[in-house]
Amino acid sequence: MKLNRRKFIKRALITVASVEAFFLLKGSVNKINTSSGTAELFNAGKATAFENNKLYPFLTGQFFLKRFEDGGFLAMSIKCTHLGCIVNTNSKTGGFNCPCHASQFDKYGEVVSAPATRPLDYFPITIEKGELLIDTKKPIKRSSFDKSQLTYA
Ligand code: FES
């Protein structure tokens, strides 16, 4: 069966919305007691539910959760570091495109194309009882990607 461009885009959007809805139903925001006080953390679900080398959008949490080839997790902000527009995923590159002024980011959130000058912010991830807890109140600015930003189950 041959898909035209409109049908393909429609199906792609439905797929992304379905994945988001699935993880939305699984995920929730929990108040967690930490050593530094009570924090509101977004519960993305069991680490084992995420496949390597895949990207999972959590638009209500305002982050994309990427699990890399080696199993490391990175929760990247959906906000462009230029002027804060919401970036789109780029299925061809595995990265992100900003619809506002055409900045492009790679799969690590690093800038590929200006006007953005720094990578997408990322959020701290902790793992408790096998569940990924993302602290969406603490975006971390960075000048480049390095492996210390990844969290492993
Ligand atoms: S807000 Fe993204 S490129 Fe300007």
Side-chain angles (χ1 to χ4, degrees):
M1 187 169 93
K2 202 170 185 178
L3 284 179
N4 66 28
R5 184 183 171 98
R6 180 171 286 172
K7 281 185 182 172
F8 175 78
I9 291 171
K10 187 176 175 184
R11 286 187 182 178
L13 290 174
I14 289 170
T15 302
V16 168
S18 300
V19 170
E20 166 72 8
F22 173 74
F23 284 100
L24 226 174
L25 291 173
K26 285 186 69 182
S28 61
V29 176
N30 296 338
K31 285 191 190 258
I32 305 285
N33 291 321
T34 64
S35 55
S36 58
T38 302
E40 284 195 8
L41 302 174
F42 189 102
N43 186 335
K46 291 277 185 197
T48 52
F50 301 98
E51 293 179 38
N52 287 7
N53 204 23
K54 289 224 169 151
L55 183 70
Y56 298 89
F58 284 90
L59 302 183
T60 54
Q62 306 222 335
F63 65 91
F64 293 107
L65 181 67
K66 173 74 181 182
R67 188 163 202 189
F68 289 96
E69 297 81 358
D70 67 352
F73 288 99
L74 184 64
M76 291 176 276
S77 173
I78 64 172
K79 291 182 183 172
C80 179
T81 53
H82 178 227
L83 293 175
C85 288
I86 306 302
V87 298
N88 299 317
T89 56
N90 182 331
S91 58
K92 283 186 184 164
T93 66
F96 310 91
N97 296 343
C98 182
C100 293
H101 312 103
S103 285
Q104 294 183 332
F105 304 86
D106 68 11
K107 67 181 180 179
Y108 301 101
E110 291 196 292
V111 176
V112 174
S113 179
T117 57
R118 61 182 179 80
L120 298 174
D121 296 342
Y122 72 103
F123 300 107
I125 300 174
T126 53
I127 299 176
E128 284 188 18
K129 296 178 184 166
E131 306 217 327
L132 298 173
L133 305 174
I134 291 86
D135 191 347
T136 57
K137 301 287 186 243
K138 291 185 180 164
I140 299 171
K141 293 179 174 36
R142 56 192 173 144
S143 57
S144 63
F145 168 78
D146 73 68
K147 286 195 85 169
S148 70
Q149 296 161 6
L150 299 179
T151 301
Y152 293 88

